[in-house]
């Protein structure tokens, strides 16, 4: 099978074992970001080093990715160590290296799940169906966005541009949108049945909140991302290739850093995951 | 100076260097939880292994703690490795071990911060002053709670008990409060000027949301906790020993796990930190 026949998500997470706890992979051009690959696929690739480890117990519960340095185009090695295996869960520590230098670190938690009392207290935003919204195209300045069908409900980059009145930088007015919230439908292009890998990448698919509030692109970068998988594997599989509803906002922008808090929902109101990240920004 | 003259927070984070990247500490009885020590102090102790490392660059930006297994009373070793040092930030990987077994893992991020455009988009809950609220005492079933002056605004355990109508377990009605939100003022007893260490412990001071929704204590345990320090060291120091306002809620309870999302505010409305955790629970 040629590469073209393999979905871009499956291409980017492909890893070849090189030792008991080590695997080798390589970046994929289809996921190119401004510098290096899209961070969502780096997260998915790290997760896959856990998923394909022969000692893995259960499904992903949590993943924290730390983007330590730029990932260069080309090969990388991932070391994924199961540092503690309990009866129903397992703790992992991971490092991605290139040329002997650590470029990404992570911890992951996998586990078995059983039925308990269940309730979703959070409420998804009320939104039009994705079929009633336009496919976002105008902001496609980076390659990886071509792998997604995004349909903005609110808080797209056009809104940010329109809000801009030339306000600027340090200590000054923001000049962008009044709210950092973006709500959008999103799915893979071409369509692909959702799994923990694609869900992980989707958790990092929101553009930086600083762009929206400042009304213009500024230097930014995710430094750390934590995903909590609140849905079971069955619920994730039930999603098929349908759109997910993502909503994200920032709580505070201050002194080079801002947070981002996201929820990812299925169309039928299942809260699949939360993603909390800390981003570096300059203004 | 005798131990009694050292604040319990400072006692529990005391670490003695044993190698380039290793330190030794011990649990402190004043922080005893149902099993092992209060997880907030484990987090603070891990952070202190970073703070007192001679190669540390900047202040804490993020910390993810993974509670891999019970911490036994007594000595432990922490290995804190600075795996990547950049111009303005530094990435850390940590393991706490007892008897050769990993009991806690963590990643931390420290960094330098400069002035940028700044805005707090989140809004603190409207609440009475702590002076107008009663000191919570009735729920003091574990030792570590004696180190805190907690004053509940909403969502205390009494509210949970009153809501209980004997509803039970798997698939059934909750029987507790309708909302998982707890809002409270909290500070150290005796009073102590806030720093990253005490703030870290405070981030884990909320009782489990499952208790509140189910209206009764059930087996629970934090499996992973991520703190984003949204305030600078100056802002944290400016807090002095005043009460912090903490508010926490869960988004989803499902299949043995629920999330918790918390914000910690100063009295003057500075968002100091967010804390997101995943808890195991049985029902």
């Amino acid at each position: 099978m040629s590469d073209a026949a393999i979905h871009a998500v499956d291409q980017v997470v492909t890893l070849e074992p090189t030792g008991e706890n080590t695997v080798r992979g390589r970046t994929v051009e289809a996921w190119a970001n401004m510098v290096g690959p899209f961070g969502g696929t780096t997260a998915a690739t790290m997760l896959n080093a856990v998923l394909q480890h022969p000692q893995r117990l259960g499904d992903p519960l949590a993943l924290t990715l730390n983007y330590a340095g730029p990932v260069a185009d080309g090969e990388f090695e991932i070391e994924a160590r199961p540092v503690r295996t309990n009866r129903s869960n397992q703790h992992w520590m991971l490092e991605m290296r290139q040329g002997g230098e650590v470029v990404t670190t992570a911890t992951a938690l996998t586990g078995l799940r059983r039925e308990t009392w269940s309730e979703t207290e959070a409420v998804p935003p009320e939104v039009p169906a994705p079929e009633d919204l336009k496919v976002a195209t105008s902001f496609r300045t980076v390659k990886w966005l071509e792998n997604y069908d995004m349909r903005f409900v609110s808080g797209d980059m056009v809104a940010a541009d329109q809000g801009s009145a030339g306000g600027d930088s340090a200590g000054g007015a923001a000049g962008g949108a009044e709210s950092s919230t973006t709500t959008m439908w999103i799915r893979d292009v071409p369509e692909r049945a959702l799994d923990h890998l694609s869900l992980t990448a989707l958790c990092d698919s929101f553009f930086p909140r600083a762009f929206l509030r400042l009304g213009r692109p500024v230097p930014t970068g995710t430094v750390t991302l934590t995903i909590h998988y609140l849905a079971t594997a069955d619920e994730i599989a039930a999603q098929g290739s349908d759109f997910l509803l993502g909503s994200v906002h920032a709580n505070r922008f201050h002194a080079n850093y801002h947070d981002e808090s996201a929820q990812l929902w299925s169309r039928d109101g299942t809260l699949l995951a939360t993603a909390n990240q800390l981003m570096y920004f300059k203004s």
Side-chain angles (χ1 to χ4, degrees), chain A:
Chain A
M1 189 153 61
S2 75
D3 268 12
I6 304 174
H7 195 283
V9 167
D10 297 297
Q11 278 182 48
V12 79
V13 300
T14 297
L15 296 167
E16 169 196 350
T18 56
E20 189 189 347
N21 293 327
T22 54
V23 291
R24 187 191 301 128
R26 52 167 48 248
T27 58
V28 170
E29 203 197 333
W31 293 101
N33 205 347
M34 304 277 244
V35 178
F38 165 49
T41 47
T42 301
T45 305
M46 292 283 268
L47 182 66
N48 203 29
V50 171
L51 293 184
Q52 72 174 47
H53 195 292
Q55 289 165 41
R56 192 244 310 175
L57 173 73
D59 296 315
L61 290 166
L63 178 71
T64 291
L65 250 285
N66 301 289
Y67 299 92
V71 178
D73 291 338
E75 287 195 350
F76 51 79
E77 182 183 64
I78 299 174
E79 182 182 0
R81 290 185 298 129
V83 295
R84 173 98 179 207
T85 302
N86 297 312
R87 201 165 47 87
S88 73
N89 69 30
Q90 191 172 46
H91 287 262
W92 296 82
M93 296 190 85
L94 296 97
E95 294 182 37
M96 178 186 281
R97 301 187 201 99
Q98 285 184 317
E101 196 169 33
V102 172
V103 293
T104 315
T105 71
T107 60
L109 174 63
T110 56
L112 307 173
R113 303 182 71 162
R114 293 190 185 174
E115 200 179 325
T116 57
W117 172 69
S118 176
E119 177 148 312
T120 301
E121 202 173 298
V123 177
E126 286 192 27
V127 298
E131 290 75 13
D132 296 333
L133 295 165
K134 278 190 307 189
V135 181
T137 52
S138 60
F139 67 113
R140 296 208 161 162
T141 51
V142 287
K143 183 86 179 160
W144 68 266
L145 283 165
E146 294 170 20
N147 300 310
Y148 291 117
D149 179 343
M150 290 183 178
R151 303 185 183 202
F152 288 100
V153 175
S154 65
D156 62 358
M157 273 307 287
V158 177
D161 289 345
Q162 286 172 345
S164 176
D168 67 1
S169 72
E178 282 180 18
S179 160
S180 69
T181 300
T182 286
T183 299
M184 67 179 181
W185 291 102
I186 183 169
R187 71 173 164 193
D188 292 318
V189 173
E191 292 180 30
R192 179 180 176 280
L194 192 72
D195 58 17
H196 287 92
L197 298 168
S198 55
L199 177 58
T200 298
L202 287 160
C203 281
D204 194 34
S205 66
F206 303 94
F207 66 84
R209 304 298 88 202
F211 291 11
L212 190 54
R213 288 301 312 270
L214 292 167
R216 58 193 164 86
V218 290
T220 60
T222 300
V223 289
T224 183
L225 165 68
T226 293
I227 299 170
H228 293 160
Y229 303 91
L230 300 181
T232 55
D234 283 355
E235 291 177 314
I236 291 170
Q239 167 73 10
S241 63
D242 199 2
F243 283 94
L244 298 193
L245 180 64
S247 190
V248 63
H249 69 275
N251 293 299
R252 188 175 192 210
F253 302 81
H254 186 63
N256 283 140
Y257 290 91
H258 68 82
D259 68 323
E260 296 202 1
S261 177
Q263 297 184 339
L264 284 95
W265 297 84
S266 73
R267 198 194 284 243
D268 68 359
T270 303
L271 182 55
L272 300 170
T274 59
N276 286 280
Q277 60 174 258
L278 193 69
M279 292 202 83
Y280 172 84
F281 79 103
K282 267 174 89 168
S283 68

